[in-house]
Amino acid sequence: MEPLENTHRPPLISRREILGGALAAGGLLLVGCRTEPTVTPEATPAPGPTGTSPTVERLDNLRLGVPSDILPDGMLRFTPGNQALRRTVFDLLVDRGEDGDYVPWLATDWDYNDDRTRLVIRLRDGVTYHSGRPFTADDVLFVVDKALEDGSGAQVASLLRRGTMSKSGDLELTVDFEAPFASYLDAFIALPMVDSETFDAIADGQQIVGTGPFTWESWTPGSRFEMAHYDSYWGNDIPFDRLTVSVISEPQAMLAAMRSDDLDLAERMVARDAASLESAGFSVVRSVGFDYYVGVNTAVAPLDDIRVRQAVAWALDRDRIAEQVFSGIAEPSSIPWASNTPGVTTAHTSHYSYDVDRARALIEDAGATGAELAITPSPQEPTAGAVADIVQFGLTEIGLNPSTVTVEPAEFPTLIQGGAFQGLWIGVVGLTALGPTTALLTANPLRADQNTHNFTPAEYQSRHAAVVDAGDQEEQAEAIADMTEFMLEQAFHNTVVQASSTVVAREGLTGVALDSTFALNLTNARLTT
Amino acid sequence: MTLFVLRRLGAAAGVLIVVSVAVFSLLHVAPGDPVAVLAGPDASPETLEAIRVDLGLDKPPARQYVEWVGQLVRGDLGMSYTIRRPVSELIGQRVGSTMQLTVAATLILLALGITMGILLATSRFRVVRQAIDQLATLCLALPPFVSGIILIFLFAVVWGVLPPGGDAPFLDQTGESLRRLILPSIAMALPSAPVVARLLATEMRRAREQEFVLTALAKGSSQRRITWRHVVPNSIGPAVVEVGIRVGHLLGGAIVAEAIFARAGLGNLLITAVQSRDYRLAQALLMLAVAAAIVAQLIAELVIARNDPRVRLGGRA
């Protein structure tokens, strides 16, 4: 047996010293290893609002947070994940201003002939892809061909099919229409000008080449992607050497990252989090509105009765939804399109208010008191659950018996595509930001012959055709007004708010914008001190 | 022994085949369609069909299963439907982050569990023992998704001394990588540490009543010496076994921690794969998890069999 020792040798280093050393090392680890972007003053100062000249800084790395990853294989589709790429790596042909007019981008100007059956588009000279190859009319033709292919999934293909595009010069394109079509350029607000030589390598994200202000560097799927400053960009010199985008799916983690200065920008934050950051001094840029609605499956009883549908529309507390769920970053509205859409009036946007008595009377008249009604909130919208709670409360108040149905994110698109909801659902149509014609042609809930609402009477189809076939703006305004009134009366697509996408920026970061397709536009962004 | 190994390998292969059928069937039977996710809600039936053909999802499920298993046997995990990269490459990119997190959480679990256990068993002050006991109860009641948010709020938002999440390349930015590991690994270790602590404390109290400890006391050894030289070494075994079991739980807990702390690990990848019904990716991840458990079990059985002829001979000894 080992003898028990009773002697004690003093250690070379005392425990107190070890503890002190460990604490010091931990402190150094905590503080010393922080990697924050460095800023250097730029030569060109920007004029300040009070006559002073704040210094524009050159940032070595702009850090952006986004809630969902990119989908390179769907680059020509209008998907939320790709919004961080569409105007950073890529450029678009045209943009749309706040007044709804088209704004030149890679296309400098365009003209219709007198009977609006021919459109000539002229392209910007001196634009190059990141590979150094010049951008020409052939590239636009390539993008259009790819968008029109089966399986491209490009929503705007239905707009492109209305015309035939051909090359009429190195930097000029001609589009011929069988019948006048006013919304053709909408397609180019949403289509990024991808590179024909590297298009096949886009799908796995190994090589993504565009003409935008940033070149593609790397992608770790589900985690981050990085871009670098493109020195030969045709537009403004953007004072950011790199753009690092982190995918942060948890809203709490995104909020914490902004508050702890781990990010400079956060895109598509939950509205209440964006509002809380705004009150803490961050700036919040809002996009144009898009349709946030309560859909109705008109093939399901009792929703096949117009009185029940109208009762549902009167039972939606839009003001409460805008205030409580969206913290004011949304406008209550009864219609899917923006209030400045030609033909739309205030009477349309505010047609339905929260009127329990009127709704209850309609339900009693239809003999639907106590009827069960399922509500399926979109699992892809973080606010849809909260909206469903308010909707459920309103429906209970008017004598219905609603319940919430939960589905998985992978199931919801199938239900939208197949019109297979049990009753009501809560979702969004982002394409309404491009106007009624594009939305009616491209969004499944609003299509004419087959849609998610299973609402396809001849009256709807004829009005649908009137809007999309309108040759000029006056004709279009008239058709939109008629369609809007019909939709309000039939109450199958009950818009609750015009919601906005957001980008939250740290203090001093100005000029950040979201375009009409919610794509991040950094071409005028500046960091000033 | 050879016969035993062959028998166990055969059983393991059988389990893997059954699991592969279950994993394939469950994912395909679950509502949701990868084609619908890829194409988006506004896709037309023509677009859906074109993508379905492109991905090979138009084939009968039995044929898809046979093709998948055939690929697995050849060591090919297939391509991700949504990311369009080899599944093996995606797993390779993520495994490091999850392993770092699990190792760091295990180290914290050991440090915290053993310290609390020893203090619980040896402190002469009742107030200290009670405080540790209360702390253990509190930790036990804090799942990672709660403690994670509290830790982020305190250390990242209020005090600003640690980043709220994310990860950095370990070899290129070791310091930054370690800083980003601290909060998630603490959040993961907190609920497990009290279990280890209480087990260790119980074992230490039992060991203190053993004759060799009483002998050491009679010979005049100090309390400290008795604790460190005799009680702890004779009590730590069950606690270490418990830590081993907990490591498996930590790997599961990584799914939650990776989501809260925005880390690019396997857990996050699995969530993405399941949510988008990326069958190939989800199937591969689930099969890997099962295979890892089977291999661990196999190793344990082989070790036991080597030491115990009754096990080796299947009860015929």
Side-chain angles (χ1 to χ4, degrees):
Chain A
M1 184 179 168
E2 188 188 342
L4 294 171
E5 295 174 19
N6 210 6
T7 54
H8 174 70
R9 286 193 207 105
L12 291 174
I13 305 171
S14 72
R15 274 173 299 179
R16 200 165 291 172
E17 284 168 333
I18 291 171
L19 185 65
L23 284 174
L28 279 174
L29 187 66
L30 290 181
V31 181
C33 300
R34 297 195 71 167
T35 53
E36 286 180 356
T38 54
V39 290
T40 48
E42 276 270 279
T44 49
T50 56
T52 58
S53 295
T55 309
V56 177
E57 307 282 1
R58 186 155 198 100
L59 195 64
D60 70 339
N61 186 20
L62 186 69
R63 301 160 303 168
L64 166 69
V66 293
S68 58
D69 202 2
I70 55 169
L71 189 65
D73 194 29
M75 200 54 77
L76 299 180
R77 292 171 212 149
F78 184 74
T79 57
N82 289 343
Q83 284 163 7
L85 286 187
R86 297 220 319 276
R87 299 196 72 148
T88 50
V89 172
F90 298 108
D91 272 322
L92 307 173
L93 221 53
V94 289
D95 196 358
R96 197 199 279 275
E98 285 180 11
D99 55 2
D101 289 341
Y102 297 115
V103 175
W105 202 255
L106 289 186
T108 52
D109 61 286
W110 47 88
D111 298 308
Y112 279 95
N113 63 358
D114 288 343
D115 60 0
R116 300 183 75 84
T117 54
R118 172 165 285 191
L119 167 69
V120 176
I121 303 170
R122 280 167 285 276
L123 304 177
R124 189 177 296 280
D125 195 8
V127 177
T128 57
Y129 280 99
H130 302 150
S131 58
R133 188 175 66 79
F135 167 75
T136 67
D138 289 323
D139 295 302
V140 181
L141 284 175
F142 175 82
V143 172
V144 169
D145 284 348
K146 283 290 167 191
L148 287 171
E149 276 182 6
D150 278 347
S152 81
Q155 292 95 329
V156 294
S158 45
L159 301 177
L160 296 172
R161 285 194 192 99
R162 297 258 164 168
T164 306
M165 181 180 268
S166 59
K167 179 182 169 184
S168 47
D170 277 351
L171 295 172
E172 189 179 280
L173 295 146
T174 300
V175 188
D176 290 302
F177 304 99
E178 284 186 10
F181 182 57
S183 302
Y184 189 80
L185 283 174
D186 278 2
F188 295 103
I189 299 176
L191 271 182
M193 289 296 117
V194 296
D195 173 34
S196 56
E197 290 183 349
T198 54
F199 183 75
D200 291 338
I202 283 184
D204 64 2
Q206 303 280 10
Q207 200 177 9
I208 302 182
V209 176
T211 62
F214 290 96
T215 60
W216 181 253
E217 290 236 311
S218 64
W219 178 39
T220 307
S223 174
R224 62 164 57 193
F225 45 101
E226 294 178 66
M227 295 167 251
H229 184 269
Y230 179 42
D231 295 336
S232 302
Y233 183 56
W234 60 271
N236 291 340
D237 177 35
I238 299 176
F240 310 118
D241 294 336
R242 299 182 65 76
L243 175 61
T244 302
V245 187
S246 301
V247 181
I248 304 174
S249 54
E250 275 296 310
Q252 294 273 9
M254 184 84 92
L255 182 63
M258 282 302 286
R259 283 193 183 277
S260 60
D261 198 27
D262 213 36
L263 292 174
D264 301 307
L265 284 170
E267 220 186 331
R268 290 181 285 135
M269 288 189 80
V270 175
R272 64 164 191 278
D273 293 342
S276 80
L277 287 175
E278 191 170 30
S279 61
F282 292 78
S283 59
V284 177
V285 178
R286 301 171 191 196
S287 72
V288 293
F290 60 89
D291 177 35
Y292 200 110
Y293 70 101
V294 176
V296 179
N297 186 351
T298 61
V300 173
L303 297 168
D304 51 350
D305 187 327
I306 188 172
R307 291 167 296 182
V308 177
R309 296 202 298 268
Q310 287 176 344
V312 169
W314 288 112
L316 301 174
D317 194 344
R318 293 169 174 81
D319 290 335
R320 187 178 164 199
I321 290 169
E323 196 176 318
Q324 286 188 6
V325 180
F326 292 95
S327 302
I329 305 182
E331 292 294 325
S333 179
S334 304
I335 61 166
W337 354 107
S339 56
N340 63 354
T341 305
V344 165
T345 65
T346 315
H348 295 143
T349 56
S350 58
H351 180 86
Y352 283 109
S353 55
Y354 184 52
D355 192 335
V356 172
D357 293 336
R358 195 168 180 170
R360 195 183 290 125
L362 281 164
I363 291 292
E364 284 168 7
D365 190 34
T369 303
E372 293 187 350
L373 213 51
I375 309 168
T376 309
S378 166
Q380 293 151 331
E381 292 298 320
T383 47
V387 172
D389 290 342
I390 295 173
V391 171
Q392 193 169 355
F393 176 79
L395 296 180
T396 307
E397 288 290 288
I398 65 170
L400 293 171
N401 186 14
S403 60
T404 303
V405 176
T406 306
V407 296
E408 285 197 61
E411 195 181 353
F412 198 78
T414 313
L415 296 171
I416 288 276
Q417 289 155 3
F421 288 101
Q422 293 176 37
L424 306 177
W425 73 95
I426 295 165
V428 301
V429 181
L431 287 156
T432 55
L434 295 181
T437 307
T438 304
L440 289 169
L441 274 174
T442 57
N444 259 331
L446 298 171
R447 286 189 208 269
D449 50 347
Q450 187 185 349
N451 56 49
T452 317
H453 302 283
N454 296 305
F455 184 82
T456 54
E459 298 96 313
Y460 180 64
Q461 297 200 24
S462 62
R463 285 172 172 86
H464 195 283
V467 173
V468 298
D469 294 339
D472 58 42
Q473 204 168 19
E474 197 178 329
E475 199 181 318
Q476 200 171 44
E478 203 176 309
I480 289 169
D482 187 34
M483 170 61 114
T484 305
E485 280 155 22
F486 181 71
M487 288 178 73
L488 287 168
E489 182 206 1
Q490 293 296 321
F492 62 94
H493 183 95
N494 296 305
T495 299
V496 285
V497 291
Q498 284 287 316
S500 290
S501 188
T502 59
V503 57
V504 182
R506 67 183 257 198
E507 197 179 350
L509 192 54
T510 58
V512 178
L514 292 170
D515 75 3
S516 54
T517 59
F518 324 123
L520 182 68
N521 184 351
L522 295 171
T523 49
N524 290 311
R526 295 287 180 272
L527 181 65
T528 52
T529 54
Chain B
M1 185 68 183
T2 309
L3 191 63
F4 175 79
V5 171
L6 288 174
R7 235 179 17 235
R8 300 318 299 157
L9 282 175
V15 171
L16 276 175
I17 290 168
V18 171
V19 167
S20 72
V21 174
V23 164
F24 183 90
S25 310
L26 286 174
L27 281 169
H28 282 72
V29 166
D33 181 1
V35 176
V37 175
L38 264 175
D42 298 317
S44 64
E46 295 77 30
T47 299
L48 293 172
E49 190 51 33
I51 295 175
R52 198 175 302 284
V53 171
D54 184 38
L55 297 179
L57 291 168
D58 57 326
K59 297 173 189 166
R63 191 170 156 197
Q64 289 181 46
Y65 172 78
V66 171
E67 285 180 0
W68 172 57
V69 171
Q71 282 183 321
L72 278 186
V73 170
R74 293 193 300 274
D76 178 7
L77 299 181
M79 293 282 282
S80 157
Y81 295 149
T82 50
I83 303 168
R84 294 291 182 135
R85 287 192 183 179
V87 168
S88 53
E89 180 191 322
L90 295 172
I91 291 174
Q93 281 177 341
R94 304 296 193 98
V95 72
S97 176
T98 301
M99 291 312 293
Q100 285 168 30
L101 188 56
T102 308
V103 169
T106 306
L107 292 176
I108 291 172
L109 161 64
L110 277 171
L112 210 59
I114 291 173
T115 308
M116 284 166 72
I118 291 173
L119 283 172
L120 264 177
T122 61
S123 178
R124 281 172 293 174
F125 305 104
R126 193 171 163 218
V127 64
V128 173
R129 291 199 306 274
Q130 281 183 337
I132 297 288
D133 196 45
Q134 296 295 324
L135 183 66
T137 305
L138 182 68
C139 291
L140 205 58
L142 277 178
F145 64 87
V146 175
S147 58
I149 289 167
I150 295 170
L151 288 170
I152 289 172
F153 179 71
L154 291 176
F155 287 90
V157 177
V158 177
W159 298 323
V161 291
L162 283 170
D167 37 17
F170 189 76
L171 294 177
D172 298 340
Q173 299 173 35
T174 307
E176 183 62 18
S177 177
L178 289 174
R179 287 182 71 241
R180 289 180 185 274
L181 266 177
I182 295 172
L183 294 185
S185 49
I186 290 175
M188 279 172 65
L190 278 183
S192 296
V195 180
V196 174
R198 285 187 170 150
L199 190 66
L200 179 61
T202 307
E203 289 297 320
M204 283 179 69
R205 287 192 197 108
R206 192 175 297 144
R208 279 194 170 278
E209 290 164 10
Q210 299 293 315
E211 286 181 355
F212 62 89
V213 173
L214 298 176
T215 308
L217 269 174
K219 285 191 169 184
S221 285
S222 69
Q223 283 290 345
R224 185 173 297 159
R225 182 175 174 75
I226 289 170
T227 298
W228 288 104
R229 289 292 297 270
H230 302 288
V231 176
V232 171
N234 283 289
S235 315
I236 201 94
V240 170
V241 171
E242 180 63 26
V243 169
I245 296 167
R246 291 274 146 189
V247 170
H249 293 191
L250 288 176
L251 276 167
I255 293 177
V256 177
E258 283 171 2
I260 293 169
F261 290 93
R263 289 183 64 85
L266 290 177
N268 233 339
L269 190 64
L270 181 60
I271 292 173
T272 309
V274 171
Q275 282 186 343
S276 60
R277 295 291 185 273
D278 194 333
Y279 295 146
R280 285 291 163 93
L281 186 53
Q283 285 165 193
L285 285 165
L286 292 170
M287 284 302 291
L288 270 183
V290 174
I294 289 175
V295 168
Q297 177 74 20
L298 203 59
I299 290 170
E301 285 180 358
L302 291 176
V303 170
I304 294 167
R306 191 174 177 278
N307 295 329
D308 190 343
R310 290 170 302 174
V311 175
R312 198 161 58 230
L313 297 171
R316 284 182 284 117

